[in-house]
């Protein structure tokens, strides 16, 4: 029993399995053995990774360079007894920390959701009797009974099955239920193809089975996924990386300037206290207090916009990450496709028919050579469609205006195809009532139904795999409904062409019974049938996904398909939606299977991940390796998924995207974003919104930094020149906090830049501010320095008080920023191209700012609080002229550069 975990259970014969597990399959384990194994293996639960305590997690929210700068500003303003300003800064820090803590706490619930999937009950055989027990009490060697509707409670090796079908989509990504049977398989069989195994957390959709438990808890396949999730580190987003780097640079610059201020004052013989207060003023001036709040608000606005577009953001920095995405790894079923099987072609009596319409909506027509056909003129077509309707246990129905199915998706597609041709199922069932059924079994690979005829005879309809059906056919239906000699070579040729297009193919046949008959046996359909035709179907691509993929490719974003489906099917869908491999690469394969991936060393996987577009039949570990390989190549990776098997890759990706409709709770908890409509086009829209959010953040930083540069430079210039400070620390805080709130924040409401999806994604190593923007910030900062310091000195030379001179300097900063704000509405274009009044929030913010500045200048209360004083019309003309010069200079720089 010690070495059980290393066994390849699918490869072992049934007798050897029970011997290794030391269990009698006819009696099960006895009570004492169960107790012994429970003590040895523990409960059938997943072990949670011990996370940081909530208090530590909260404290870590303050461990950021920018927060350290703000904490310093708060302490300094507190020391200056500026209680309101200090309180505001502390409030900004605290709110950001609380939001970050809440978001990170939610992200760590993925493994808890995995544990919940193991809860439930199980029917077992113990000591010769059947018992219903908690799934947590299962041990290796327990004999378990499965039936339709059960969730598999542990990893089982199947001992016997009866028409067993299991939905493994959450584990393997397989889009249709898997037919299970107990025969021994080859050792190298992939997880998705192990039809003699039933895995924990998968769902029994049809049939019954008996299996023996071979793994519980952490040793199951889902337990292995749990360890992969726990092993994956939470990555910093491109935005947090850039802001951390930017904050580090800013911190060094501020400390350097403060040290230069102290040095300049000391060299000039100034008192230590005055020099220290000047250094404090410079530090306060250089800190962009509004940046954290601006980031939070802009990201929150982006979150709300995406929610209205069917994308729910669970982690706010993910908004910007979308805009940085260079590769999108998408699942196939339901995301790029309709997740609704649709008959697209039908072959009967030598004719190839096409069907219009997609999904389960019974609307469309049947075409022959692009011309709609009338069913009465095509009896062979009619017989093939009737067989698909009557040899069928599923149904379609309309629920609140939406067409839904009950049963197998493939059978539902057959019903919809018949309705498009004008057949009515209820009328057919009245005319040909069913008397008996041979249900589908994996060893036979067909289903047959017996129907009574009005003339006392009967007819058998049979559907199944092409090979099994053809082997039972002696004749073929002709174009007029008569029986003719069968041409198996022509049928096989047609089948191969359909299969090459990635279509799933079913063959249909019938047999006339002339004697009364009420029971159907396999011997009755062993030979002598008439071949009716082939129906070929697939889960068609979403129309909007095709245009969304094209838009992503125009935007320089690679789209890759990672699916649990078969290679041929996946490649066919990929070609229809416009995916293609990298031309001229070392690896010319357009699609690759998980079996081929497993043989690749890491260094070769790097180039394969870059050049191949379709990855089929991949395991959870392979999905994780692909994401890691793409990240190692320098990509920002977005990964979609809906199953438990997707969770590790979702967590590893720079942005994990879960499906809201088809997705498991595990996938949703591991993801950064959830699509409420499971549609790839929503991802494309979210990428566009993410780019807009980052653009607006860059606009804010480009707008706010010249003020910090200018204020710091003014104070440093005053120290070097040995004159009074043109602005005091309290006045600096007034400038920074009011303009950030009323002017800078309004940039969050700017619309998308023209051509936002026509440009390539930003390279991950690109800094927040480019060299061009750095030059612009330097120009504006220099103009603010000259304007504020020059007007301050000019006012003093005219004999006005220092309070009046400082008020002029403050107004120069405020109105210089206001004019510059209109430049920053776009980093490339003039505000006249965007529309002067297109951002009503910005116009309103400017109006309120002007009113507040008039109060700052003329209100006695604010004069006393901030050391300001009224100024005359001449000073206002100087200030407005300075602001207009800044706007003009930046406009010329834009025109010259772009």
């Amino acid at each position: 029993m010690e070495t059980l975990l290393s066994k390849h259970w699918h490869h072992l014969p049934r007798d050897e399995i029970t011997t290794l597990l030391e269990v009698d399959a006819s009696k099960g384990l006895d009570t004492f053995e169960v107790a012994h194994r429970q003590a040895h293996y523990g409960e059938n639960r997943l072990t949670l990774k011990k996370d940081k305590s909530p208090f530590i997690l909260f404290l870590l929210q303050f461990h950021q360079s920018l927060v350290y700068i703000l904490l310093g500003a708060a302490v300094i303003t507190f020391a200056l007894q500026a209680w309101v300003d200090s309180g505001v800064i502390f409030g900004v820090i605290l709110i950001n920390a609380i939001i970050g803590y809440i978001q990170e706490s939610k992200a760590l619930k993925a493994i808890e959701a995995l544990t919940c999937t193991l809860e439930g009950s199980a029917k077992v055989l113990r000591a010769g009797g059947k018992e219903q027990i908690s799934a947590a009490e299962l041990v290796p060697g327990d004999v378990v009974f499965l039936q339709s509707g059960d969730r598999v409670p542990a990893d089982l090796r199947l001992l016997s099955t009866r028409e067993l079908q299991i939905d493994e989509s959450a584990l393997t990504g397989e889009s249709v239920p898997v037919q299970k049977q107990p025969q021994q398989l080859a050792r190298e069989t992939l997880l998705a193809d192990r039809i003699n195994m039933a895995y924990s957390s998968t769902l029994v959709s049809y049939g019954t089975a008996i299996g023996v438990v071979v793994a519980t808890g952490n040793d199951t396949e889902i337990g292995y996924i749990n360890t992969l999730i726990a092993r994956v580190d939470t990555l910093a987003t491109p935005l947090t990386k850039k802001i951390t780097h930017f904050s580090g640079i800013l911190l060094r610059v501020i400390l350097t300037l403060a040290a230069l201020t102290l040095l300049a004052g000391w060299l000039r013989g100034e008192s230590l206290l005055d020099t220290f207060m000047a250094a404090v003023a410079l530090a306060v001036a250089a800190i962009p207090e509004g940046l954290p709040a601006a980031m939070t608000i802009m990201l929150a606005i982006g979150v709300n916009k995406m929610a209205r577009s069917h994308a729910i953001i669970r982690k706010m920095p993910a908004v910007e990450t979308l805009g940085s995405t260079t590769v999108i790894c998408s699942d196939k079923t339901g995301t790029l496709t309709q997740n609704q099987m649709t008959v697209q072609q039908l072959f009967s009596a030598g004719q190839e028919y096409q069907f219009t319409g997609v999904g389960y909506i019974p609307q469309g027509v049947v075409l022959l050579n692009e011309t709609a056909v009338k069913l009465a003129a095509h009896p062979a077509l009619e017989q093939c469609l009737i067989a698909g309707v009557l040899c069928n246990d599923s149904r379609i129905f309309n629920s609140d205006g939406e067409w839904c199915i009950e049963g197998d998706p493939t059978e539902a597609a057959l019903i919809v195809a018949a309705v498009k041709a004008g057949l009515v199922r209820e009328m057919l069932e009245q005319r040909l009532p069913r008397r008996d059924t041979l249900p589908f079994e994996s060893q036979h690979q067909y289903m047959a139904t017996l129907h009574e005829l009005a003339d006392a005879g009967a007819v058998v309809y049979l559907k199944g795999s092409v090979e099994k059906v053809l082997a039972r056919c002696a004749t073929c239906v002709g174009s007029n409904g008569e029986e003719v000699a069968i041409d198996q070579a022509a049928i096989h040729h047609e089948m191969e062409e359909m299969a090459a297009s990635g279509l799933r193919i079913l063959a249909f046949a019938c047999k006339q019974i002339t004697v009364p008959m009420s029971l159907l046996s396999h011997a009755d359909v062993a030979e002598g049938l008439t071949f009716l035709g082939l129906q070929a179907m697939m889960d068609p691509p979403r129309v909007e996904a095709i245009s969304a993929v094209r838009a992503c490719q125009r935007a320089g974003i690679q789209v890759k398909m990672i699916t649990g489906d078969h290679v041929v099917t996946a490649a066919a869908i990929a070609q229809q939606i416009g995916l293609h491999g990298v031309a001229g690469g070392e690896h010319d394969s357009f699609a690759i299977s998980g079996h081929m991936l497993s043989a690749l060393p890491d260094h070769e996987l790097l180039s394969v991940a870059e050049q191949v577009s379709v990855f089929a039949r991949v395991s959870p570990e392979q999905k994780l390796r692909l994401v890691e390989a793409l990240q190692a190549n320098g990509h920002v990776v977005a990964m979609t998924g809906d199953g438990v098997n997707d969770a590790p890759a979702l967590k590893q990706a720079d942005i994990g995207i879960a499906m809201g409709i088809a997705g498991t709770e595990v996938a949703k908890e591991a993801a950064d974003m959830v699509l409420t409509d499971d549609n790839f086009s929503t991802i494309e829209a979210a990428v566009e919104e993410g780019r807009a959010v980052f653009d607006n953040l860059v606009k804010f930083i480009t707008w706010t930094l010249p003020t910090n540069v200018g204020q710091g430079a003014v104070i440093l210039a005053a120290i070097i020149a040995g004159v009074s400070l043109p602005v005091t620390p309290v006045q600096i805080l007034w400038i920074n906090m009011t303009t950030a709130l009323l002017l800078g924040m309004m940039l969050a409401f700017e619309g998308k830049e023209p051509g936002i999806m026509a440009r390539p994604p930003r390279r991950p190593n690109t800094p927040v501010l480019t060299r061009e923007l750095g030059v612009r910030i330097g120009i504006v900062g220099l103009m603010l320095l000259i304007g504020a310091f020059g007007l301050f000195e000019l006012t003093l030379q005219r004999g006005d008080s220092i309070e009046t001179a400082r008020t002029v300097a403050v107004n120069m900063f405020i109105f210089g920023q206001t004019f510059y704000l209109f430049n920053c509405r776009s980093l490339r274009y003039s505000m006249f191209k965007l529309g002067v009044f297109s951002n009503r929030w910005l116009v309103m913010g400017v109006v309120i700012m002007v009113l507040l500045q008039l109060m700052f200048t003329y209100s006695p209360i604010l004069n006393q609080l901030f050391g300001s004083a009224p100024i005359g019309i001449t000073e206002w003309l100087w200030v407005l002229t300075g602001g207009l010069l800044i706007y003009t200079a930046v406009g010329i720089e834009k025109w010259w550069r772009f």
Side-chain angles (χ1 to χ4, degrees), residues 13 79 133 137 162 241 287 304 348 515 569 628 723 738 745 754 882:
I133 65 170
E137 298 175 20
R162 181 172 175 80
K241 290 177 184 176
I287 295 172
N304 290 331
S348 183
V515 296
T569 304
E628 290 173 336
V723 299
T738 56
M745 292 298 183

Side-chain angles (χ1 to χ4, degrees), residues 6 31 40 60 97 104 210 242 260 290 293 303 306 402 416 456 465 475 645 658 687 696 711 721 739 806 809 848 855:
S6 62
T31 304
H40 181 76
L60 286 174
E104 191 167 344
I210 299 174
K242 289 180 173 70
L260 287 174
V303 166
M306 289 185 185
E402 183 176 349
V416 173
S465 70
T475 59
N645 61 321
V687 169
N696 288 344
Q711 290 171 347
T739 56
R806 283 174 172 164
I848 296 173
M855 292 174 62

Side-chain angles (χ1 to χ4, degrees), residues 28-338:
L29 299 173
D30 61 43
T31 304
F32 295 107
E33 184 62 23
V34 168
H36 171 72
R37 296 190 186 191
Q38 285 177 340
H40 181 76
Y41 291 103
E43 288 191 324
N44 180 31
R45 298 179 187 273
L46 298 182
T47 303
L48 292 178
K49 178 184 176 183
K50 188 175 181 180
D51 293 316
K52 301 179 183 72
S53 69
F55 181 68
I56 296 297
L57 200 61
F58 180 71
L59 287 182
L60 286 174
Q61 306 305 314
F62 298 92
H63 184 53
Q64 303 173 44
S65 299
L66 190 60
V67 173
Y68 289 144
I69 297 174
L70 289 177
L71 283 170
V75 170
I76 291 168
T77 52
F78 184 82
L80 294 172
Q81 298 184 357
W83 316 119
V84 174
D85 301 309
S86 181
V88 169
I89 298 173
F90 269 123
V92 167
I93 296 169
L94 189 61
I95 290 170
N96 278 281
I98 291 171
I99 292 172
Y101 170 75
I102 292 171
Q103 295 295 333
E104 191 167 344
S105 297
K106 286 181 180 179
L108 296 175
K109 290 182 179 178
I111 299 176
E112 294 179 27
L114 264 172
T115 303
C116 293
T117 65
L118 282 181
E119 298 296 336
S121 61
K123 185 180 290 186
V124 300
L125 180 68
R126 285 181 176 175
K130 292 183 180 180
E131 299 179 26
Q132 192 83 18
I133 65 170
S134 168
E137 298 175 20
L138 285 173
V139 295
D142 262 326
V143 177
V144 177
F145 298 90
L146 297 176
Q147 63 184 20
S148 180
D150 286 350
R151 188 171 294 280
V152 180
D155 283 2
L156 310 178
R157 171 61 159 88
L158 298 174
L159 302 177
S160 65
T161 63
R162 181 172 175 80
E163 303 168 30
L164 183 66
Q165 298 180 29
I166 295 184
D167 180 357
E168 295 185 335
S169 58
L171 184 66
T172 66
E174 177 66 60
S175 57
V176 295
V178 179
Q179 303 286 337
K180 294 289 186 176
Q181 50 193 16
Q183 78 250 25
Q184 183 180 351
L185 299 174
R187 183 185 181 95
E188 64 274 9
T189 305
L190 295 176
L191 179 72
D193 297 321
R194 294 175 187 172
I195 59 174
N196 61 6
M197 298 290 295
Y199 291 107
S200 177
S201 84
T202 59
L203 188 66
V204 179
S205 58
Y206 192 77
T208 61
I210 299 174
V212 61
V213 175
V214 296
T216 58
N218 291 339
D219 300 320
T220 62
E221 287 296 330
I222 195 176
Y224 177 62
I225 294 173
N226 175 40
T227 61
L228 290 180
I229 296 176
R231 197 176 72 195
V232 173
D233 295 325
T234 302
L235 297 179
T237 68
L239 177 63
T240 55
K241 290 177 184 176
K242 289 180 173 70
I243 293 298
T244 299
H245 179 68
F246 172 73
S247 301
I249 294 174
L250 190 60
L251 179 60
R252 290 192 291 272
V253 169
I254 290 171
L255 293 177
T256 300
L257 290 176
L260 287 174
T261 302
L262 284 170
L263 178 61
W266 177 73
L267 291 175
R268 289 189 58 83
E270 302 285 346
S271 72
L272 184 61
L273 178 61
D274 290 343
T275 304
F276 175 74
M277 290 306 297
V280 167
L282 186 143
V284 171
I287 295 172
E289 290 90 349
L291 181 56
M295 279 180 53
T296 301
I297 291 172
M298 288 183 179
L299 291 173
I301 290 172
V303 166
N304 290 331
K305 286 182 179 178
M306 289 185 185
R308 291 194 293 270
S309 301
H310 308 291
I312 297 174
I313 302 295
R314 297 185 61 253
K315 303 171 186 176
M316 284 203 298
V319 177
E320 183 277 332
T321 308
L322 279 163
S324 307
T325 299
T326 59
V327 175
I328 300 175
C329 297
S330 177
D331 191 19
K332 176 182 72 69
T333 305
T335 309
L336 293 169
T337 65
Q338 303 273 347

